[in-house]
Amino acid sequence: KKREGKDWRTVFFPLYWRSEIQGDSTFFLWPAYGRRERGTSVEYSTVWPLFSYSTDPAEDETDLNFLWPLARNRRAGAAHDARFFPLFSSSSDPGSREEPGLLGFGLSLPVPLSYRAVGNGYRYHRVFYIAWLTENADAVRHVVFNHYLLKDKKSGTVHQGVFPLYHGSRWGA
C-alpha cells in the first residue's frame, strides 16, 4: 500500500524489508527476491548480494553481479568492466585518459590469470606470467615468453630481442 508523501519502513530482519524513503523504494524478501529503486535506477537481486542485476536507462548503465565479488559485468556508456576471478579482469573506457589506480597490481600479481585495461592513449594486457603487452603515451613494452620489445616514445630508444639468443638496441629516432 502506498503512503503518499510520507517516508516509511517495515522490517522483519533479516527476512523482510520494505520501505519508501525520499522517493526511493526497497523491497526484500530475503533470500528469494529483492528490488530497489533509486531515481531512474532499478536493482533486482536474489540471495543478495551474491546475485544482482541493476539498470539505469537514464545514465545508460547496467551492472550484473554473479557470486559477488567474484564475477561482474558492468557497462556505463562506452565504458565496460568484466571480471571472473581468478581467471580474468578486463576494463575498457575509450574516453578515459587516466590509467586504472590498481594497474601495478593487475600487471604484477598472478591473479587474475588475464588482466586487461584499455583507454584513450593506453593499453595494458597481461596473461599470467607468459605475456605483458603495454602501451601508453610514453612507452611500448611487449614481453611474450622470452621475446621482448621495449620502446621509449619520447627518446626513440628501442631495445628488442629473444633472450638469451639475440639483443638489439637503437637510440634516438
Side-chain angles (χ1 to χ4, degrees), residues 6-7 12 44 46 106 110 135 139 149:
K6 295 187 179 185
D7 293 345
F12 183 65
Y44 301 93
T46 186
E135 187 172 344
L149 168 65

Side-chain angles (χ1 to χ4, degrees), residues 18 56 73 79 83 91-92 118 142 154:
R18 188 163 182 205
D56 189 338
N73 188 12
R83 75 171 168 255
S91 175
S92 175
V118 177
H142 293 188
K154 291 181 180 177

